[in-house]
Amino acid sequence: MISTILLVLFLGFYVLYSTSKKVTIDPHFRIENIIQQNTKTAKLIGLVFLLITLYLMIQILGVASGTLIFFIALMTIGSIIILLAPLKYITYKNLALFFVLSICIEFLLF
């Protein structure tokens, strides 16, 4: 469950990151072109994803620790996106591989 929540957090921050005018988009990714063309809707979707993530973290972990873990995860994932997105390391294949790996580790540990 935590892996899915972190994926939604990643998607929310990435959508908000992609709405920036300074971001150079890759023409191969159709989603990024749509995000750049519809910035108001994309910002709303990104904020909804972040709010859903915050709500789910609070429901699972409690108010104090859920909020703390949300902001820690937001800072960590945000830093990763800001560092790796300009280098074009964030692809759908890499994201899917990381998600499947984290789901497997989550099931093995819990």
Side-chain angles (χ1 to χ4, degrees):
M1 185 69 178
I2 298 294
S3 298
T4 309
I5 293 172
L6 291 178
L7 177 69
V8 173
L9 178 69
F10 178 88
L11 292 175
F13 191 88
Y14 191 74
V15 167
L16 289 174
Y17 172 79
S18 296
T19 58
S20 174
K21 298 294 181 191
K22 295 181 181 180
V23 174
T24 58
I25 58 171
D26 193 9
H28 296 100
F29 297 127
R30 188 168 174 238
I31 298 290
E32 291 180 356
N33 291 329
I34 294 171
I35 290 171
Q36 283 283 332
Q37 292 170 358
N38 303 315
T39 57
K40 287 185 180 182
T41 307
K43 285 181 183 181
L44 181 65
I45 290 171
L47 288 175
V48 167
F49 279 173
L50 292 180
L51 288 175
I52 288 171
T53 304
L54 178 61
Y55 174 75
L56 291 174
M57 287 279 196
I58 289 173
Q59 288 299 315
I60 291 174
L61 301 171
V63 176
S65 61
T67 307
L68 179 68
I69 296 296
F70 170 76
F71 283 114
I72 290 172
L74 181 66
M75 287 186 293
T76 304
I77 290 174
S79 298
I80 290 171
I81 289 174
I82 289 172
L83 288 173
L84 297 180
L87 300 174
K88 306 295 183 204
Y89 285 142
I90 298 177
T91 62
Y92 298 114
K93 292 178 184 178
N94 290 343
L95 183 61
L97 178 69
F98 182 74
F99 180 65
V100 168
L101 182 66
S102 66
I103 287 286
C104 291
I105 291 172
E106 186 174 350
F107 282 138
L108 287 174
L109 291 177
F110 300 109

